[in-house]
Amino acid sequence: MNKVVLITGASSGIGKSIAEFLHYKGFIVYGTSRNPHKIINSVFPLLELDVRNTESIHNAVKKIIELSGAIDIVINNAGVGITGPIEEIPSKEIKNNFETNFFGPIEVIKAVLPQMRAQKSGLIINITSIAGYMGLPYRGIYSASKGALELITESLSMEVKPFGINIANVAPGDYATNIAAGRFHSPVIKGSDYENSYGATLKMMNDQVDSGNNPIEMAEAIFDIINSANPKIHYKVGSFIQKFSIVLKRILPDKVYEKILMNHYKL
């Protein structure tokens, strides 16, 4: 039987690329979106799901089980970006980011685990970020939410492995998607002590996203993980320098690594 895949946030960007790739590889793919009725000509079914709404999560999971009788693979892709000086980001936006990037994936996992335990098999893949391995200037909230998901995956892996369920993280670097348009950007406040440095850093971040790699690389990486007999817990997908930055953080003294980052961002 073809494996049944649930992918959150599959209406655009990396999620859409993964969903289309797996669809054409013969998987039974169900994507989700907060507003699926706005999406036309999707090659795979799109169900309504908001990761901040537990009822919508359970409704979508129930629908997939009714239609296909199983959920073999879950890809927690839905997420949002956020930028700004931590001092100036409204608390409600910080909470919304964690609701989407951290608590949302946990609720999706909790919703699918009973079915996977009954099947005695399953694979859950959390899409995190290379930014989750380090505190980046003006991306601290995003780094924290993705880093938290990286750690929770380690705990979950040990808890669910006895049931035949594997769980993994995939941390992408910069890819050419519309993520910048969907970010919450704390405004560059004229006269703020952060005005010049944040404004310049924000421009740099947006330029890097626009010049990022093709998201099909992520789809290919996910496909390889699915076909792995024994998936690892942590995967990184991106440019050499982005992946190497994680290695540098591991081996360099904190202050040296901080200096490298500050020089990169011209702070």
Side-chain angles (χ1 to χ4, degrees):
M1 291 180 62
N2 293 337
K3 290 186 176 181
V4 179
V5 185
L6 164 61
I7 305 176
T8 65
S11 61
S12 63
I14 287 175
K16 182 180 180 182
S17 292
I18 296 170
E20 289 180 344
F21 188 90
L22 295 181
H23 168 79
Y24 289 120
K25 288 291 185 180
F27 291 82
I28 301 170
V29 176
Y30 294 94
T32 76
S33 170
R34 285 179 296 175
N35 300 292
H37 59 279
K38 294 183 178 180
I39 310 300
I40 59 173
N41 300 325
S42 176
V43 299
F44 52 88
L46 271 171
L47 305 178
E48 183 175 351
L49 188 153
D50 184 341
V51 296
R52 300 167 301 178
N53 184 311
T54 304
E55 183 179 1
S56 79
I57 293 170
H58 283 276
N59 287 342
V61 168
K62 180 181 178 183
K63 182 71 171 177
I64 294 170
I65 295 171
E66 288 174 352
L67 292 171
S68 297
I71 297 181
D72 300 299
I73 301 158
V74 171
I75 302 173
N76 268 318
N77 170 74
V80 290
I82 184 169
T83 65
I86 292 172
E87 183 181 355
E88 294 180 354
I89 300 175
S91 294
K92 69 174 184 178
E93 296 297 342
I94 295 174
K95 292 174 182 176
N96 178 67
N97 190 267
F98 268 80
E99 288 288 344
T100 306
N101 291 357
F102 180 64
F103 294 112
I106 290 174
E107 291 301 320
V108 172
I109 291 168
K110 289 165 69 174
V112 301
L113 280 179
Q115 176 64 29
M116 289 185 170
R117 278 202 310 277
Q119 298 168 181
K120 297 182 172 57
S121 67
L123 172 63
I124 299 169
I125 301 174
N126 294 324
I127 307 299
T128 58
S129 173
I130 285 178
Y133 282 84
M134 61 202 73
L136 296 174
Y138 305 119
R139 293 183 73 183
I141 301 305
Y142 183 75
S143 290
S145 64
K146 291 297 189 178
L149 189 56
E150 285 274 344
L151 287 178
I152 221 70
T153 301
E154 294 179 358
S155 299
L156 277 166
S157 176
M158 292 180 280
E159 293 174 4
V160 302
K161 198 173 292 292
F163 308 121
I165 302 167
N166 289 310
I167 184 164
N169 287 316
V170 181
D174 292 325
Y175 282 90
T177 69
N178 62 349
I179 187 173
R183 280 185 189 140
F184 171 79
H185 294 288
S186 188
V188 180
I189 301 172
K190 191 164 183 61
S192 165
D193 288 338
Y194 302 104
E195 178 185 358
N196 294 331
S197 59
Y198 172 47
T201 301
L202 182 60
K203 183 179 184 306
M204 178 187 295
M205 286 188 286
N206 290 338
D207 290 345
Q208 288 173 343
V209 169
D210 293 338
S211 61
N213 293 354
N214 190 325
I216 196 67
E217 292 180 6
M218 276 291 290
E220 292 169 343
I222 295 293
F223 182 68
D224 288 343
I225 295 167
I226 290 172
N227 287 316
S228 172
N230 187 26
K232 298 188 298 183
I233 298 174
H234 298 286
Y235 294 86
K236 294 90 176 174
V237 182
S239 68
F240 169 79
I241 192 64
Q242 288 170 340
K243 291 186 285 187
F244 188 57
S245 66
I246 299 173
V247 177
L248 288 179
K249 186 176 192 296
R250 191 180 302 130
I251 63 177
L252 292 176
D254 290 347
K255 289 297 184 180
V256 173
Y257 190 76
E258 180 183 70
K259 186 65 174 177
I260 290 173
L261 284 179
M262 293 186 74
N263 286 340
H264 176 74
Y265 288 101
K266 299 179 173 58
L267 299 177

